Amino acid sequence: MAVLSVRLWPDPVLTTKAKPVDVIDDELRKFMEDMALTMYKADGVGLAAPQVGVSKRVIVIDVPGDEQEAGSGLIYAVNPKVIHKEGANAITEGCLSFPGLDIKVKRSEKVTVEYQDLNGAVQTIKAGGTLAICFQHEIDHLDGIVFTERLGPVSKRLALRDYEKLRRLK
Ligand code: NI
């Protein structure tokens, strides 16, 4: 396994719509394991392939403590899509492509997500809480939408300004 390098905003891959995966093979499985390792090493709870420079529709998620709502633990999701959503929620989110920036983002409270697992089998998961937020955040990445895009214009400007300051301080 290898730790992959995480692309930071404003890398153009982060605003590119990712391509669906047609074939789930050993190469993809190895790549997704590398993604999981990269996520854990960075202390993240989710990672989308575009964040490591690969414009494919795959994500990995591991939200601690959501086992009751989730299946459990690490989720490898190929071609994930939200097929149902309800309610509204806003919690503070971070993103590995925006180190240090925490912003409150409006999302659906609960989502049902359909995806293929590493064997190509279709899975459906009903998620609430942090897991629901995480799925929405990562699927947004596949559509080239970063979390600051979910803010209103003034909040977005403030967030990007804060992020530029954080980058200069590094
Ligand atoms: Ni992110």
Side-chain angles (χ1 to χ4, degrees), residues 35-47 60-62 74:
M35 281 179 64
L37 180 66
T38 305
M39 172 182 76
Y40 290 131
K41 290 281 185 189
D43 268 333
V45 294
L47 186 69
V60 295
I61 287 180
D62 190 346
L74 177 59

Side-chain angles (χ1 to χ4, degrees), residues 34-74:
D34 289 344
M35 281 179 64
L37 180 66
T38 305
M39 172 182 76
Y40 290 131
K41 290 281 185 189
D43 268 333
V45 294
L47 186 69
Q51 293 184 274
V52 291
V54 176
S55 206
K56 288 184 181 170
R57 300 189 79 82
V58 298
I59 62 176
V60 295
I61 287 180
D62 190 346
V63 175
D66 267 9
E67 273 83 335
Q68 287 143 334
E69 290 159 310
S72 71
L74 177 59

Side-chain angles (χ1 to χ4, degrees), residues 51 95 137 141:
Q51 293 184 274
C95 179
H137 179 119
H141 273 304

